[in-house]
Amino acid sequence: MDTIKDTVERLRLKTEIFKKENKAIFIKDFNNTYYFCNIISIEIDYIIIYNFKGKRSGERDKILWLDIKELEKYKERE
């Protein structure tokens, strides 16, 4: 079973791959807030994003790794 530290490290590494590939991402946090975003910066304790869709469109957010419940490559609905 993964520890919290392992989970955070896996999320950070996954995000680095998506940033390198210039991919948009989808994040869901533990408050069930959804983010459809581009990665601006990857830090030790958090990620900085720019929201391009949804209620937070046009806003920047800083999200702690510990608050992220789900992080995936963004897929446009058909």
Side-chain angles (χ1 to χ4, degrees), residues 8 12 18 21 24 27 29 52-53 56 72 75 78:
V8 167
R12 197 172 16 245
F18 291 155
E21 295 176 349
I27 296 174
D29 68 16
F52 63 83
K53 188 174 184 178
R56 303 192 60 75
E72 297 296 331
K75 298 173 189 153
E78 307 206 3

Side-chain angles (χ1 to χ4, degrees), residues 66-77:
L66 294 172
D67 290 337
I68 296 175
K69 185 176 186 179
E70 185 178 343
L71 186 148
E72 297 296 331
K73 185 168 42 171
Y74 173 74
K75 298 173 189 153
E76 188 71 42
R77 288 189 175 191

Side-chain angles (χ1 to χ4, degrees), residues 39-73:
I39 304 161
I40 295 173
S41 180
I42 300 168
E43 306 297 331
I44 297 289
D45 297 327
Y46 55 86
I47 180 175
I48 299 173
I49 56 164
Y50 177 79
N51 298 285
F52 63 83
K53 188 174 184 178
K55 292 180 181 179
R56 303 192 60 75
S57 181
E59 296 182 27
R60 287 183 181 218
D61 284 297
K62 179 170 37 172
I63 307 170
L64 290 171
W65 294 111
L66 294 172
D67 290 337
I68 296 175
K69 185 176 186 179
E70 185 178 343
L71 186 148
E72 297 296 331
K73 185 168 42 171

Side-chain angles (χ1 to χ4, degrees), residues 9-19 71-72:
E9 185 61 24
R10 189 171 53 254
L11 285 171
R12 197 172 16 245
L13 291 171
K14 187 176 184 180
T15 305
E16 287 176 6
I17 292 168
F18 291 155
K19 185 173 189 214
L71 186 148
E72 297 296 331

